[in-house]
């Protein structure tokens, strides 16, 4: 968990307000540690300050989200060095500003106060005063008042009073016990995990959100925190709907605005009334919360007292029913239960003044009051029976209520023990005054409806700031509360089934007992005790939800992990979350408009179950990782219990409503990906990061065991960048090429070397790293940045090539840009470094890619039209030339390009067969490409080649013998360039007049004739060249002449065929073994690339990288 403390300096009389602010806060991105010293305003005198460690509830302000976590004890006491006096610790006196004395640390801990959550928790005036000491009342709440009773109040509520009897009647005692046991086991296991997390350090207000986010990271924390927020908000809607249901059904039914003339319209009218009154109630509650939270907190005990009195009343009623059951008769027609709302007597007819007259019940089933009227067939054939709705504890009704009675929507509530005549098709009778199912019932539905009655276990952890000893009170209070409520629910299921008639249990709204609350009929001394108690209980729970949900949203917004929620982090001057309250009321209104308690309950069940599931996951991950900071005081936990709790949560989600579960997980997944993609980076020491480290360590060890198979080979790049004088990236298109080549797959290390010593260039190295990372983000390059400070560039680059990466996750390919200005460079070390890179990659068996004119390469936003990627396959290098175009074409920049492969044939090669073989090879490689075979003759070495070689050697010799100034070198380079251009133009004109020397296709006759024509001249070429030589050519190095000849001829062929290609890939020849010819090597490459725009020279690493096998 991130430390969330700041050191608040107390003014001793001379400290300025600005300095107080500076001492009391840290920036979001602290500057590199420069020894702890701080700059001060000139002319200002600062006195020593006493520091008080206070808990800070504003996440982004004091460094919960910075990559390097701010410590409350280190680098926070800027003036502590002035407090040091004495010589006993002189050995450490120079570090005293960064590492304070232990006595100073202990003094801060002694003055630490965990500020209680209240109306003043975010008061801005406290920050502005900054240097003024504020007396804070220390928290005094114990286990009972701080954890046990709040959890009790949050767990017991609307479902207990309005739906538990109906669940028992519908599911039966056995299945109801299974539902209760399943849900209570889930919350008990979650409470064990939560207790372990809550006792592993201080848990600020925000409860589960802080526990999960600091344990599993900002992505999980934000996703589950918002799910918990939505669950709490919909819980508020459920409590408000429960309040209105009690008001309109049991207290003042005549207050209904919408009334139904027909029974089929009763449900619609009820839902519309719920919407109207629910909206009014929500508005009133929102106003109360806005005006003052302190009134809600003061009324909490009153609401809790109502709940406790109601439960005591139920147990008293159960005891009394054992010897004196209450009189609540239920009128049965045959075996069907009647709604006892519109008649007083359970009779068809009665005798008044010796006259038999019809009753009110008669008029409900017959056309008129006359005894001769036409009546319903079932009404005529069956008798009316009065049974006791509460037969009592000793009646033995428990045996009849053991089993379930599920049914579809509109099913009549029947007592199978009573006789029934007719009624084969009860569907036509559902609109008569019978008690019927208002929804389809089945086991999984009841699980979803019941689960909200066991939520609320986070109430204690949310109040950790108010507790005297949170690490002791939270586990004891929460587990004790769950144990108490579980006992109440289990005993309630058994006692309800043992005391109440089955048909009355299944009567959800108490229509058969004149609209009384079913659980109220059992209570003593009066049903009104339960009605009034449950009404105030639901009101209190609704207010608590509307109070807690905005604060949770505010905590998430202030953490800054969800950018679009940041506006909800603001509030009134005293910190009240005004905007968050408005959003909460708006979401709560959605639940109100749904209007059905049974429809809202499964929704909030999903969100709470998501939250509980990740609490268990957080505990399990931390336990298995065994991180050094995982030292909970609560010892009675185990990772298997956490996994069991997590499995239960997931199972209950899909048991209760699989589609709601998918939607809730989809919402959490979208939030997770959004935070991952757009959210601010946070480092909270979370378990997922630790899990990633463990997984990475395991994978690296596995990779170390053996090199990757050819099928798994892909270029793992080390990109060597050049920086300008401002430490900005000189060629960002090199990173664009990296992105297009990798598409986020594999390893990418972007490296740079600064010249100097690390001690003196540490700040520049960090700035360079930040600039490179910024450019990587702009170019969408996913990888790592590695800036090395070395005494010289040569050694730094060598170190990068040798040591970049870790274990088996090392680069196998080096990507650099072609040093295009090497001729004009004053320092020959620049091109020598390039050649050394080539040599070192060859020695390390690594591939190398050299991009020429890299600034002309497309960006990741460009879309190249139809064109070609031309591959010139001169020598076999392991297949990289084949693989690279395929990888590039996977990116949308190069997706429209076609691949062409050119290979060079000598005179003795059968070019036709070569083309067939190459096509077959590409077919087996599953690559689509056009194939061309280019034949190059053993032609005479042209005069242009000799001239080019001569100029090269003369220039090389002059640079070795003379120390030319910059101006002279530039003049010489220009002269050489002009001479080369003139000679090249002359030779091209000559060649245009002669026959074409490059033949793309050959017939057998043509091949034979050409060989006969050239055999004799070729035999005497040395003699002929000898007579045609100029005197200055005789001293040329023939090896250089041959190399220059290859470069010139190959360049002519490539330019002729591929000048219009989007990209040319070409084999890169290796440097000479003799280092004396390094400059000549650069000249050869320059000639080879002349006239081409985008070129990627490729040098293989000495192993096969592509295979025809599956």
């Amino acid at each position: 968990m991130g430390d969330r403390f700041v050191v608040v300096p107390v003014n001793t009389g001379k400290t300025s307000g600005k300095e107080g602010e500076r001492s009391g806060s840290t920036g979001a991105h602290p500057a590199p540690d420069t020894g702890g010293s701080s700059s001060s305003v000139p002319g200002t005198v600062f006195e020593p300050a006493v520091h008080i460690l206070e808990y800070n509830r504003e996440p982004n302000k004091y460094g919960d989200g910075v990559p390097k976590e701010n410590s409350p004890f280190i680098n926070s006491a800027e003036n502590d060095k002035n407090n040091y006096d004495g010589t006993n610790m002189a050995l450490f006196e120079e570090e005293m500003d960064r590492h304070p004395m232990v006595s100073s640390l202990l003094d801060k801990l002694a003055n630490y106060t965990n500020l209680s959550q209240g109306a003043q928790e975010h008061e801005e005036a406290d920050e502005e005063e900054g240097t003024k000491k504020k007396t804070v009342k220390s928290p005094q709440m114990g286990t009972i008042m701080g954890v046990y009773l709040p959890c009790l109040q949050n767990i017991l509520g609307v479902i207990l009073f309005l739906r538990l009897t109906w669940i028992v009647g519908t599911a039966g005692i056995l299945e109801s016990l299974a539902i209760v046991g399943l849900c209570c086991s889930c919350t008990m296991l979650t409470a064990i995990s939560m207790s372990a997390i809550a006792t592993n350090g201080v848990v600020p207000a925000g409860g589960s959100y802080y526990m999960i986010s600091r344990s599993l990271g900002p992505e999980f924390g934000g996703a589950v925190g918002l799910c918990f927020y939505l669950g709490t908000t919909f819980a508020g809607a459920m409590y408000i709907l429960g309040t209105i249901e009690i008001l309109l059904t049991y207290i003042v039914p005549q207050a209904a605005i919408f009334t139904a003339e027909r029974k089929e319209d009763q449900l619609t009218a009820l839902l519309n009334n719920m919407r109207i009154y629910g909206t009014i109630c929500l508005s009133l509650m929102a106003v109360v919360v806005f005006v003052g939270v302190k009134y809600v907190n003061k009324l909490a005990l009153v609401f809790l007292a109502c709940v406790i009195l109601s439960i005591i009343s139920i147990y008293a009623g159960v005891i009394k029913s054992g010897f004196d059951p209450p009189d609540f008769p239920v009128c049965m027609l045959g075996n069907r239960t009647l709604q006892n709302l519109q008649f007083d007597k359970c009779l068809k007819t009665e005798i008044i003044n010796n006259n038999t007259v019809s009753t009110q019940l008669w008029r409900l089933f017959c056309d008129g009051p006359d005894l001769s009227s036409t009546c319903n067939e079932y009404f005529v054939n069956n008798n009316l029976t009065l049974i006791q709705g509460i037969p009592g504890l000793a009646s033995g009704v428990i045996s009849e209520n053991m089993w379930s009675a599920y049914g579809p929507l509109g099913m009549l509530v029947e007592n199978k023990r009573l006789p029934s005549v007719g009624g084969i098709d009860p569907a036509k009778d559902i609109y008569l005054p019978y008690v019927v199912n208002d929804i389809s019932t089945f086991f999984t539905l009841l699980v979803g409806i019941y689960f909200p009655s066991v939520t609320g276990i986070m109430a204690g952890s949310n109040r950790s700031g108010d507790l005297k000893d949170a690490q002791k009170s939270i586990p004891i209070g929460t587990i004790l509360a769950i144990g108490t409520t579980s006992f109440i629910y289990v005993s309630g299921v058994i006692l309800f089934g043992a005391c109440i008639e089955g048909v009355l249990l299944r009567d959800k709204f108490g229509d058969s007992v004149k609209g009384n609350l079913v659980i109220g009929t059992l209570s003593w001394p009066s049903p009104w005790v339960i009605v009034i108690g449950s009404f105030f209980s639901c009101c209190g729970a609704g207010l608590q939800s509307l109070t807690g949900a905005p604060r949770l949203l505010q905590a998430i917004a202030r953490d800054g992990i969800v950018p679009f929620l940041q506006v909800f982090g603001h509030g009134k001057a005293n910190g009240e979350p005004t905007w968050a309250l408005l959003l909460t009321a708006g979401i709560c209104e959605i639940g109100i408009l749904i209007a059905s308690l049974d429809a809202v309950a499964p929704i909030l069940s999903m969100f709470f179950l998501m939250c509980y599931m990740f609490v268990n996951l957080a505990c399990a991950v931390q336990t298995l990782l065994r991180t050094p900071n995982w030292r909970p005081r609560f010892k009675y936990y185990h990772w298997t219990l956490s996994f069991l709790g997590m499995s239960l949560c997931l199972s209950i989600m899909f048991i209760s409503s699989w589609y709601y579960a998918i939607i809730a997980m989809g919402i959490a997944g979208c939030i997770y990906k959004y935070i991952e993609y757009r959210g601010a980076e946070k480092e909270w020491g979370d378990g997922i990061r630790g899990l990633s480290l463990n997984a990475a360590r395991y994978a690296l060890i596995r990779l170390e065991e053996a090199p990757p198979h050819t099928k798994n080979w892909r270029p793992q790049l080390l990109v060597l960048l050049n920086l300008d004088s401002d430490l900005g990236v000189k060629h960002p298109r090199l990173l664009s090429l990296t992105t297009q080549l990798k598409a986020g797959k594999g390893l990418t290390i972007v490296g740079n070397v600064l010249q100097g010593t690390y001690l003196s260039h540490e700040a520049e190295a960090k700035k360079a790293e930040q600039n490179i990372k910024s450019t990587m983000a702009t170019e969408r390059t996913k990888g790592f940045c590695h800036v090395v400070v070395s005494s010289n560039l040569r050694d730094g680059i060598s170190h990068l090539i040798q040591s970049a990466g870790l274990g088996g996750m090392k680069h196998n390919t080096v990507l650099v840009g072609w040093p295009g200005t090497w001729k004009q460079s004053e320092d020959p070390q620049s091109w020598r470094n390039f050649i050394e890179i080539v040599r070192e990659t060859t020695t390390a068996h690594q591939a190398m890619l050299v991009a020429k004119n890299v600034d002309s390469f497309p960006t990741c936003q460009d879309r190249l039209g139809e064109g070609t990627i031309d591959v010139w396959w001169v020598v076999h290098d392991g297949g990289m030339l084949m693989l690279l175009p395929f990888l590039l074409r996977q990116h949308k920049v190069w997706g429209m390009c076609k691949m062409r492969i050119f290979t060079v044939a000598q005179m003795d090669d059968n070019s036709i067969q070569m083309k067939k073989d190459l096509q077959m090879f590409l077919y087996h490689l599953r690559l689509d490409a056009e194939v061309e075979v280019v034949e190059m003759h053993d032609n005479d070495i042209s005069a242009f080649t000799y001239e080019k070689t001569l100029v090269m050697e003369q220039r090389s010799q002059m640079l070795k013998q003379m120390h030319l100034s910059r101006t002279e070198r530039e003049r010489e380079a220009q002269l050489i360039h002009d001479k080369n251009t003139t000679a090249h133009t002359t030779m091209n004109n000559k060649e245009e007049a002669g026959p074409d020397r490059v033949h793309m296709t050959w017939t057998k006759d043509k091949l034979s004739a050409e060989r006969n024509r050239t055999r004799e001249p070729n035999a005497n070429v040395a003699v002929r060249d000898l007579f045609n030589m100029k005197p200055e050519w005789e001293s040329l190095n023939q090896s250089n002449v041959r190399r220059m000849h290859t470069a010139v001829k190959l360049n002519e062929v490539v330019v002729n065929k591929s000048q219009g290609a989007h990209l040319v890939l070409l084999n890169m020849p290796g440097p000479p073994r003799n280092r004396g010819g390094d400059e000549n090597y650069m000249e050869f490459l320059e000639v080879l690339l002349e006239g081409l725009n985008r070129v990627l020279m490729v040098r293989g690493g000495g192993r096969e990288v592509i295979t025809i096998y599956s």
Side-chain angles (χ1 to χ4, degrees):
M1 277 181 211
D3 292 333
R4 304 173 53 78
F5 304 95
V6 294
V7 178
V8 179
V10 179
N11 191 5
T12 58
K14 295 184 181 180
T15 305
S16 67
K18 290 184 179 179
E19 177 63 20
E21 287 181 1
R22 195 159 52 242
S23 300
S25 64
T26 57
H29 297 284
D33 184 12
T34 57
S37 61
S38 61
S39 60
S40 59
V41 180
T44 306
V45 179
F46 295 99
E47 293 291 335
V50 180
H51 295 81
I52 296 179
L53 188 65
E54 292 184 351
Y55 167 66
N56 167 46
R57 295 179 185 275
E58 298 193 33
N60 340 340
K61 193 161 185 182
Y62 296 108
D64 249 340
V66 298
K68 182 179 179 180
E69 192 173 57
N70 290 332
S71 170
F73 311 128
I74 299 177
N75 297 332
S76 58
E78 294 180 0
N79 297 318
D80 272 2
K81 57 185 177 183
N82 297 327
N83 296 334
Y84 172 70
D85 186 20
T87 57
N88 290 336
M89 292 294 167
L91 189 61
F92 302 95
E93 62 184 3
E94 292 185 359
E95 297 182 333
M96 207 64 72
D97 53 352
R98 289 174 293 162
H99 305 292
M101 296 281 291
V102 173
S103 58
S104 174
L105 169 65
L106 296 177
D107 180 62
K108 294 171 190 174
L109 289 174
N111 287 296
Y112 162 74
T113 176
N114 197 354
L115 297 177
S116 60
Q117 181 184 11
Q120 297 296 323
E121 62 181 347
H122 296 297
E123 189 158 353
E124 295 172 0
D126 293 351
E127 296 172 14
E128 293 173 359
E129 291 173 5
T131 58
K132 187 181 294 182
K133 184 172 181 178
K134 197 172 179 71
T135 303
V136 182
K137 185 179 179 181
S138 59
Q140 295 296 329
M141 298 184 73
T143 302
I144 300 299
M145 294 300 296
V147 181
Y148 178 71
L149 292 180
C151 284
L152 217 60
Q153 180 188 3
N154 280 266
I155 295 173
L156 299 173
V158 60
I159 301 296
L160 170 65
F161 299 120
L162 297 184
R163 292 293 182 269
L164 188 58
T165 53
W166 173 73
I167 290 174
V168 173
T170 305
I173 294 176
L174 294 179
E175 292 188 27
S176 297
L177 288 175
I179 293 173
V180 172
L182 187 68
C183 296
C184 290
S185 299
C186 175
T187 53
M188 179 61 79
L189 292 171
T190 303
I192 292 172
S193 299
M194 184 197 71
S195 298
I197 297 174
T199 57
N200 189 51
V202 177
V203 178
S208 61
Y209 163 67
Y210 278 100
M211 284 190 285
I212 295 171
S213 63
R214 271 56 179 181
S215 296
L216 293 180
E219 293 87 359
F220 278 110
V224 181
L226 284 175
C227 283
F228 189 51
Y229 162 74
L230 291 173
T232 307
T233 304
F234 275 102
M238 183 187 72
Y239 290 128
I240 292 173
L241 290 175
T243 303
I244 302 306
E245 182 176 314
I246 294 170
L247 180 70
L248 294 181
T249 307
Y250 306 115
I251 300 179
V252 280
Q254 59 273 20
I257 298 174
F258 297 93
T259 56
E261 297 296 332
R262 300 179 302 168
K263 184 183 177 184
E264 51 264 38
D265 299 329
Q266 286 179 357
L267 182 61
T268 303
L270 174 63
L271 295 181
N272 288 332
N273 286 321
M274 300 277 277
R275 293 184 179 103
I276 297 296
Y277 279 98
T279 303
I280 296 171
C281 183
L282 173 62
S283 303
L284 292 175
M285 287 186 176
V287 170
V288 170
V289 173
F290 178 78
V291 169
V293 180
K294 56 183 179 180
Y295 301 112
V296 178
N297 293 332
K298 288 179 180 178
L299 289 172
L301 285 177
V302 177
F303 297 139
L304 177 59
C306 292
V307 174
I308 294 175
L309 286 175
S310 300
I311 293 172
I312 292 173
S313 172
I314 294 171
Y315 282 110
V318 169
I319 294 172
K320 180 177 177 293
S321 72
F323 54 88
D324 184 15
D327 184 26
F328 283 97
V330 177
C331 185
M332 308 289 295
L333 177 61
N335 64 356
R336 299 177 180 178
T337 310
L338 295 176
Q339 291 182 338
N340 193 0
L341 299 175
Q342 300 175 350
F343 60 90
D344 296 326
K345 298 178 182 179
C346 186
L347 298 171
K348 294 182 181 180
T349 59
E350 58 180 339
I351 299 176
I352 300 177
N353 298 327
N354 295 325
N355 293 321
T356 302
V357 296
S358 60
T359 61
Q360 293 173 319
L361 185 59
W362 178 280
R363 298 180 181 88
L364 296 175
F365 286 89
C366 302
D367 294 341
D370 298 333
L371 298 179
S372 59
S373 301
T374 304
C375 296
N376 177 267
E377 180 182 358
Y378 190 84
F379 178 76
V380 173
N381 295 334
N382 289 274
N383 297 323
L384 293 169
T385 310
L386 271 178
I387 64 173
Q388 277 300 325
I390 312 292
L393 195 59
S395 64
V397 73
I398 186 172
S399 60
E400 300 170 9
N401 292 329
M402 282 289 180
W403 315 111
S404 61
Y406 301 118
L409 171 68
M411 188 186 81
L412 301 175
V413 176
E414 299 175 340
N415 187 335
K416 299 299 182 182
R417 292 183 294 109
L418 297 178
S420 175
V421 178
I424 299 173
D425 184 15
K428 61 183 180 180
D429 296 335
I430 60 173
Y431 297 120
L432 293 172
Y434 295 118
V435 177
V436 298
N437 285 353
D438 64 330
I439 58 173
S440 297
T441 54
F442 39 89
F443 178 81
T444 56
L445 172 74
L446 298 186
V447 173
I449 293 175
Y450 172 77
F451 189 82
S453 66
V454 298
T455 59
I457 62 174
M458 300 290 182
S461 62
N462 291 346
R463 296 172 179 239
S464 61
D466 302 327
L467 301 174
K468 187 187 303 182
D469 187 357
Q471 298 190 359
K472 175 184 177 183
S473 297
I474 289 177
I476 296 175
T478 305
I479 294 174
L480 192 60
I482 293 176
T484 304
T485 52
S486 298
F487 171 77
I488 291 173
Y489 286 129
V490 170
S491 61
V493 168
I494 296 172
L495 294 176
F496 294 159
C499 297
I500 305 176
E501 178 63 45
V503 291
L504 181 56
L505 285 172
R506 282 177 277 151
D507 184 2
K508 183 185 293 185
F509 301 107
D511 292 334
S512 61
V513 286
K514 296 189 178 297
N516 278 297
L517 183 61
V518 175
I519 198 171
T521 60
L522 182 61
S523 65
W524 179 87
S526 169
W528 284 101
V529 175
I530 295 290
V531 172
I532 301 300
S534 59
F535 176 79
F536 283 112
S537 170
C538 292
C539 282
L543 284 171
Q544 292 285 354
S545 296
L546 288 180
T547 303
R551 277 162 177 71
L552 178 57
L553 180 62
Q554 187 182 47
I556 299 172
R558 287 185 169 180
D559 259 351
I561 59 175
V562 186
F564 69 84
L565 290 181
Q566 288 185 357
V567 65
F568 299 107
H570 306 295
K572 294 193 295 185
N574 64 350
E576 290 300 322
T578 307
W579 294 107
L581 177 61
L582 289 176
L583 179 65
T584 302
I587 297 174
C588 196
E589 178 64 19
I590 297 174
I592 298 295
L593 294 177
I594 295 175
S596 172
L597 186 72
D598 301 321
V600 173
I603 296 176
L604 66 99
S605 294
M606 293 302 121
F607 293 122
F608 278 121
L609 281 164
M610 284 281 293
C611 176
Y612 295 166
M613 180 174 70
F614 281 98
V615 169
N616 284 295
L617 177 62
C619 180
V621 167
Q622 295 281 28
T623 306
L624 289 175
L625 289 179
R626 298 178 181 175
T627 53
N629 192 53
W630 180 245
R631 303 184 301 273
R633 291 189 178 276
F634 181 77
K635 302 298 182 184
Y636 305 101
Y637 69 93
H638 196 268
W639 66 267
T640 53
L641 295 178
S642 299
F643 268 114
L644 180 60
M646 184 179 68
S647 304
L648 270 180
C649 291
L650 189 62
S651 301
I652 294 174
M653 285 178 67
F654 283 92
I655 283 174
S656 55
S657 178
W658 63 268
Y659 46 89
Y660 277 157
I662 292 175
I663 292 173
M665 296 176 76
I667 292 173
C670 291
I671 298 170
Y672 178 95
K673 295 304 293 183
Y674 176 81
I675 295 173
E676 185 181 54
Y677 180 67
R678 293 292 304 275
E681 292 184 2
K682 303 289 180 182
E683 174 50 63
W684 287 330
D686 52 88
I688 291 298
R689 188 172 180 82
L691 191 63
S692 301
L693 288 172
N694 273 4
R697 180 187 62 83
Y698 175 77
L700 287 173
I701 292 174
R702 289 292 304 274
L703 284 174
E704 190 77 11
E705 294 176 358
H709 191 272
T710 303
K711 291 185 287 187
N712 296 325
W713 195 96
R714 65 167 59 247
Q716 317 289 3
L717 293 180
L718 170 62
V719 185
L720 298 178
L721 289 181
N722 288 330
L723 302 183
D724 55 26
S725 58
D726 296 327
L727 299 180
V729 177
K730 191 178 289 186
H731 302 294
R733 297 290 179 89
L734 202 60
L735 294 177
S736 301
L737 175 62
T738 303
T739 302
Q740 296 155 21
L741 191 62
K742 301 287 291 180
K745 304 295 191 299
L747 175 70
T748 300
I749 302 173
V750 181
N752 176 257
V753 178
L754 298 181
Q755 192 164 355
T757 62
Y758 184 70
L759 291 178
S760 59
H761 290 79
E762 185 257 354
E764 288 88 341
K766 287 192 174 180
K767 181 181 178 182
E769 187 171 341
Q770 290 177 356
N771 292 343
I772 293 174
K773 285 182 177 179
S774 175
T775 309
M776 290 173 66
T778 303
E779 301 297 335
R780 300 179 182 176
T781 303
K782 297 180 180 179
F784 308 98
C785 177
H786 196 176
V787 177
V788 173
V789 182
S790 178
S791 58
N792 60 77
L793 297 178
R794 172 74 197 85
D795 291 343
I797 294 173
S798 177
H799 294 157
L800 274 178
I801 294 175
Q802 293 178 58
S803 61
L806 180 64
M809 199 67 174
K810 293 180 67 69
H811 62 277
N812 54 30
T813 305
V814 178
L815 172 62
V816 297
W818 169 253
T821 60
W822 69 275
K823 284 187 177 181
Q824 292 78 31
S825 176
E826 296 180 3
D827 184 11
Q829 197 61 37
S830 60
W831 54 265
R832 286 176 181 162
N833 285 341
F834 173 79
I835 297 176
E836 289 303 315
I837 293 175
V838 180
R839 287 195 173 104
E840 290 204 355
T841 53
T842 304
T843 303
H845 302 291
Q846 295 174 3
M848 187 171 181
L849 308 178
V850 180
K852 181 197 173 188
N853 294 336
V854 68
D855 291 330
S856 68
F857 276 65
T859 67
C860 293
Q861 286 74 35
D862 295 337
R863 299 292 180 272
L864 297 179
E866 292 186 1
T868 61
I869 299 176
D870 287 359
V871 177
W872 286 86
W873 191 18
V874 181
V875 295
H876 181 58
D877 60 351
M880 273 200 73
L881 282 170
M882 310 291 183
L883 185 62
L884 292 176
F886 170 78
L887 295 176
L888 281 174
R889 291 178 62 202
Q890 305 306 303
H891 198 276
K892 47 194 173 185
V893 172
W894 304 89
M896 299 288 292
C897 298
K898 293 182 179 179
M899 180 177 168
R900 293 194 304 178
I901 295 183
F902 297 90
T903 189
V904 177
Q906 301 301 318
M907 280 301 300
D908 295 336
D909 297 327
N910 186 339
S911 57
I912 298 175
Q913 187 62 39
M914 278 181 64
K915 184 173 182 179
K916 291 180 180 179
D917 293 342
L918 182 55
Q919 288 174 336
M920 181 59 65
F921 180 58
L922 292 177
Y923 174 79
H924 287 303
L925 289 176
R926 291 89 66 199
L927 295 176
D928 296 325
E930 297 179 13
V931 174
E932 291 191 37
V933 177
V934 179
E935 294 195 3
M936 293 184 63
H937 301 297
D938 294 332
N939 296 322
D940 301 342
I941 299 176
S942 64
F944 172 72
T945 301
Y946 280 109
E947 288 292 336
K948 195 84 172 173
T949 310
L950 178 63
V951 170
M952 176 187 72
E953 291 193 354
Q954 288 176 346
R955 180 181 183 277
S956 177
Q957 189 67 23
M958 281 190 296
L959 289 178
K960 289 177 182 178
Q961 294 177 355
M962 301 175 60
H963 298 285
L964 301 177
S965 65
R966 179 179 180 183
T967 306
E968 290 170 330
R969 288 189 184 186
E970 289 178 353
R971 188 183 304 120
E972 185 198 24
Q974 185 64 40
L975 288 173
I976 294 173
H977 176 73
D978 294 343
K979 189 174 182 180
N980 290 347
T981 305
T982 304
H984 196 191
T985 304
T986 304
M987 295 309 300
N988 283 343
N989 292 337
K990 291 180 179 179
E991 289 178 2
E992 286 176 1
D996 188 4
R997 304 244 177 203
V998 179
H999 301 276
M1000 300 306 300
T1001 56
W1002 292 82
T1003 62
K1004 290 184 178 180
D1005 296 338
K1006 192 173 183 180
L1007 178 62
S1008 176
E1010 182 66 19
R1011 284 181 173 173
N1012 292 333
R1013 184 179 67 84
T1014 59
R1015 184 175 299 156
E1016 186 65 26
N1018 284 340
N1020 300 321
V1021 63
V1023 177
R1024 184 163 54 85
D1025 284 349
L1026 185 63
F1027 288 105
N1028 293 333
M1029 277 186 177
K1030 295 181 180 180
E1032 60 266 25
W1033 293 355
E1034 297 178 4
S1035 60
L1036 293 179
N1037 185 323
Q1038 292 303 307
S1039 175
N1040 287 341
V1041 172
R1042 289 196 307 274
R1043 286 186 171 87
M1044 183 63 75
H1045 174 68
T1046 304
V1048 170
K1049 300 306 295 181
L1050 190 57
N1051 174 258
E1052 288 177 0
V1053 174
V1054 174
V1055 170
N1056 182 36
K1057 290 293 180 181
S1058 301
Q1059 195 165 20
H1062 286 319
L1063 179 65
V1064 176
L1065 280 82
L1066 182 67
N1067 283 116
M1068 179 179 177
R1073 293 190 177 94
N1074 180 13
R1075 295 180 184 271
D1078 284 356
E1079 190 176 28
N1080 297 338
Y1081 172 69
M1082 295 296 293
E1083 190 71 45
F1084 296 146
L1085 294 182
E1086 189 73 52
V1087 171
L1088 182 62
L1089 301 177
E1090 190 174 359
L1092 298 173
N1093 184 22
R1094 289 191 201 121
V1095 183
L1096 191 63
M1097 289 192 291
V1098 180
R1099 185 162 174 78
R1103 60 162 294 171
E1104 294 292 333
V1105 300
I1106 193 167
T1107 178
I1108 64 175
Y1109 300 105
S1110 61

